[in-house]
Amino acid sequence: MLVVEGVYENGELRLDTPVDYRTPVRVRVEFLDELSAAVHPPANPDPADRMRRLQASWAAARLITAGMTGPSLSEEVLAEREEED
């Protein structure tokens, strides 16, 4: 599967990377909401806009993980690696 990001604006889809298929191919287009777009900022973002997007991403992560208990992902990975040795 090939994944290419781009921008949909005013009825037009512009891909960040050119794609050259010689035959018809099925595609799936996923529209990211503004919060998801914080993880994939534009190629040449304004530094202030980039910071705003990163802060929104971190704020969302804190909300999602609030109240979670148990070991962290890092602790889980380390424990798994110790078991493999």
Side-chain angles (χ1 to χ4, degrees), residues 54-85:
L54 289 172
Q55 288 171 340
S57 178
W58 280 105
R62 283 194 299 272
L63 285 173
I64 291 168
T65 59
M68 286 186 164
T69 60
S72 68
L73 176 59
S74 300
E75 292 168 332
E76 288 287 332
V77 169
L78 289 174
E80 192 172 290
R81 288 181 181 171
E82 288 175 0
E83 289 175 8
E84 290 175 358
D85 290 338

Side-chain angles (χ1 to χ4, degrees), residues 29 33-34 37 48 53 58 60-61:
V29 178
D33 61 20
E34 188 172 323
R53 290 172 180 267
W58 280 105

Side-chain angles (χ1 to χ4, degrees), residues 7-73:
V7 175
Y8 177 84
E9 183 177 23
N10 297 325
E12 183 178 319
L13 178 63
R14 293 185 314 273
L15 300 177
D16 294 343
T17 305
V19 177
D20 184 21
Y21 275 96
R22 305 263 181 230
T23 59
V25 62
R26 302 261 325 140
V27 299
R28 178 182 297 159
V29 178
E30 179 179 348
F31 289 85
L32 303 173
D33 61 20
E34 188 172 323
L35 186 58
S36 296
V39 178
H40 305 285
N44 295 311
D46 170 19
D49 183 55
R50 178 167 163 63
M51 182 57 71
R52 182 188 61 76
R53 290 172 180 267
L54 289 172
Q55 288 171 340
S57 178
W58 280 105
R62 283 194 299 272
L63 285 173
I64 291 168
T65 59
M68 286 186 164
T69 60
S72 68
L73 176 59

